[in-house]
Amino acid sequence: MHSVPSPSASKPHDSDYSRNRARSIRFLILLAAVLALAALSHLRFVRTVRRWQMPCEAEGYAEALQSCLSEMHIRRRVSLRLCPTVSSPMLMGLLHPVILLPDEELTTEELALVLRHELTHLKRGDLLVKAGLVLAYALHWYNPVVWAMGRSLCFYQEASCDSHVTARADEEERRFYSETILRVIRRQARARTALCTSFYGGRNGMKRRIIAIMEGRRRTGVALGVLALAAQF
């Protein structure tokens, strides 16, 4: 004769299922909330840029962009715009890349360096990496290690582009590149989004980048050069 299982025997399993289901729902809600906030922030930034951007009509800007695209073997169409609301040169747009420049006149040499830096981001697919980083933040919003790793990743993206642009530069050229970076950034808070690149990564980040740039090939005179540049902060 078979015994009939007690109705209470299934309760522990039902309880575990209910708890896990509730946790899953909470996790999905928080995931959606983080992604929604990131999307809203990006859309607000894009709306601001579209409102204030203007074509680069200064002589030589369009030619400099085409020259850099050809030199770096990039066949994608890239737009160049001036925007007074951005704090530093940046690349945005996964499908239709745009390089945004602060509304500040650059020399031919400075412009070439800025464009090579941002086009290196484009060539390496750094915006796709940043999109993946936003997803990682959403999945691990509770983990401070992930947020710290994200900040570190953004720093090394910028430093890696610095290294690429100055790969064959001598000490004087590296110093000029460092001075260019410092001149084109605006350190006050401005509109930005996680889905774009940015020259300016904070005071400490900029000092680390300058040290890395100046130490690229040789250390002779590096200490004096770094001290002189860091004094501008």
Side-chain angles (χ1 to χ4, degrees):
M1 188 173 181
H2 299 286
S3 61
V4 178
S6 170
S8 62
S10 61
K11 286 185 178 180
H13 298 288
D14 292 342
S15 179
D16 289 343
Y17 171 78
S18 298
R19 282 196 296 269
N20 290 334
R21 185 171 180 271
R23 289 171 184 165
S24 298
I25 291 173
R26 285 197 298 269
F27 177 81
L28 290 175
I29 290 173
L30 288 168
L31 172 63
V34 174
L35 289 176
L37 287 173
L40 287 173
S41 174
H42 181 68
L43 290 174
R44 185 164 55 246
F45 174 80
V46 170
R47 186 166 58 248
T48 300
V49 167
R50 286 177 177 172
R51 178 181 179 184
W52 293 102
Q53 71 177 1
M54 61 192 80
C56 293
E57 297 178 346
E59 184 179 355
Y61 273 50
E63 292 79 4
L65 175 60
Q66 291 305 315
S67 177
C68 289
L69 287 170
S70 176
E71 173 190 323
M72 299 176 69
H73 307 290
I74 297 175
R75 296 184 178 181
R76 295 186 65 181
R77 182 175 179 179
V78 181
S79 301
L80 186 62
R81 295 286 186 270
L82 296 179
C83 186
T85 62
V86 300
S87 59
S88 67
M90 60 180 63
L91 172 72
M92 64 172 290
L94 286 170
L95 299 179
H96 305 288
V98 178
I99 296 177
L100 299 174
L101 301 175
D103 188 10
E104 182 175 345
E105 187 175 349
L106 301 175
T107 67
T108 302
E109 293 79 10
E110 290 171 338
L111 179 61
L113 291 174
V114 168
L115 293 177
R116 289 189 192 114
H117 179 102
E118 296 304 329
L119 290 175
T120 300
H121 281 300
L122 176 64
K123 196 169 184 179
R124 293 180 175 182
D126 283 349
L127 290 183
L128 283 174
V129 175
K130 284 183 174 289
L133 187 58
V134 171
L135 180 59
Y137 288 153
L139 290 171
H140 301 278
W141 56 267
Y142 53 86
N143 191 342
V145 174
V146 173
W147 291 88
M149 289 176 63
R151 288 191 296 271
S152 181
L153 173 63
C154 291
F155 167 79
Y156 283 110
Q157 279 186 333
E158 298 300 327
S160 177
C161 289
D162 293 336
S163 177
H164 178 79
V165 173
T166 60
R168 299 180 180 179
D170 58 28
E171 187 175 317
E172 187 58 34
E173 290 169 332
R174 290 174 184 275
R175 180 183 176 87
F176 178 74
Y177 178 76
S178 299
E179 291 172 341
T180 298
I181 291 178
L182 294 176
R183 197 172 88 74
V184 299
I185 61 175
R186 296 171 180 170
R187 288 177 281 279
Q188 63 267 38
R190 293 291 182 98
R192 61 167 303 171
T193 172
L195 296 178
C196 70
T197 63
S198 179
F199 252 41
Y200 185 53
R203 179 170 179 163
N204 291 333
M206 289 303 302
K207 286 184 178 180
R208 290 170 61 195
R209 283 174 62 188
I210 290 170
I211 291 172
I213 292 167
M214 297 298 291
E215 288 184 341
R217 276 195 171 182
R218 54 185 179 180
R219 296 175 180 268
T220 305
V222 168
L224 291 176
V226 169
L227 286 173
L229 292 168
Q232 299 184 42
F233 283 92

